[in-house]
Amino acid sequence: MTPSVLFVCVHNAGRSQMAAGWLTHLAGDRVEVRSAGSLPGDRVNPAAVAAMAEVGIDISAATPKVLTTEAVQASDVVITMGCGDACPVFPGKRYLDWALEDPAGQGVEAVRPIRDDIEGRIRGLLTELGVAPA
C-alpha cells in the first residue's frame, strides 16, 4: 500500500508547499502527497517558489487548499508546521510537528535555509516510510 502524507501549515503557502514539493520530487508516485492550511492564503509564497526553483523543483502551479477532516482521515502521516490546535486529530494517525521558521514575508535568502531544513526532514521521513529517495 502506498503511504500517504499530509503537510499542514496555517496558510498552505510556504512550508507545507515546499515539503510537498520535496516529497513529490524525491518519492515520485511511491508516496501520496497532500498539503493544506487552516486559513489558506490566496497564492503560494513567491519566495518559496523561487527557492524551490533553485533546486530544480517547480511548485509554481501549486495552490493553497483548505484543511479538511477528509484529508486528515485519508492520510497515514500528518505533519503540522506551526498550526497548533487547528489540525483535527484522529486515532490511528501518526502526527509529527516540525518547528520550522515561517517564510511568510521573507525574501528568498531567508527561505533557502528553511527549504534545506525541510529537505533533510523529508529524507528522514522517506527512510522511516521505507521509501528510497529518487
Side-chain angles (χ1 to χ4, degrees), residues 8-44:
V8 182
C9 66
V10 175
H11 300 298
N12 189 216
R15 295 165 289 190
S16 55
Q17 294 286 358
M18 289 193 288
W22 272 119
L23 186 53
T24 300
H25 177 74
L26 293 170
D29 59 3
R30 293 168 298 157
V31 176
E32 193 178 346
V33 181
R34 297 181 181 87
S35 71
S38 48
L39 293 167
D42 55 357
R43 65 184 179 134
V44 175

Side-chain angles (χ1 to χ4, degrees), residues 10-122:
V10 175
H11 300 298
N12 189 216
R15 295 165 289 190
S16 55
Q17 294 286 358
M18 289 193 288
W22 272 119
L23 186 53
T24 300
H25 177 74
L26 293 170
D29 59 3
R30 293 168 298 157
V31 176
E32 193 178 346
V33 181
R34 297 181 181 87
S35 71
S38 48
L39 293 167
D42 55 357
R43 65 184 179 134
V44 175
N45 180 334
V49 172
M52 293 299 283
E54 290 178 350
V55 293
I57 301 172
D58 181 7
I59 61 167
S60 62
T63 53
K65 292 169 280 307
V66 70
L67 177 65
T68 63
T69 53
E70 293 78 20
V72 176
Q73 286 175 308
S75 302
D76 301 312
V77 182
V78 179
I79 299 173
T80 57
M81 302 170 170
C83 73
D85 57 7
C87 302
V89 175
F90 293 98
K93 305 290 173 195
R94 181 160 171 231
Y95 290 87
L96 299 170
D97 186 55
W98 290 357
L100 295 162
E101 192 179 332
D102 189 347
Q106 303 207 53
V108 73
E109 300 76 23
V111 175
R112 281 185 196 117
I114 303 168
R115 172 200 69 201
D116 297 344
D117 182 4
I118 291 171
E119 178 189 9
R121 292 169 187 254
I122 292 296

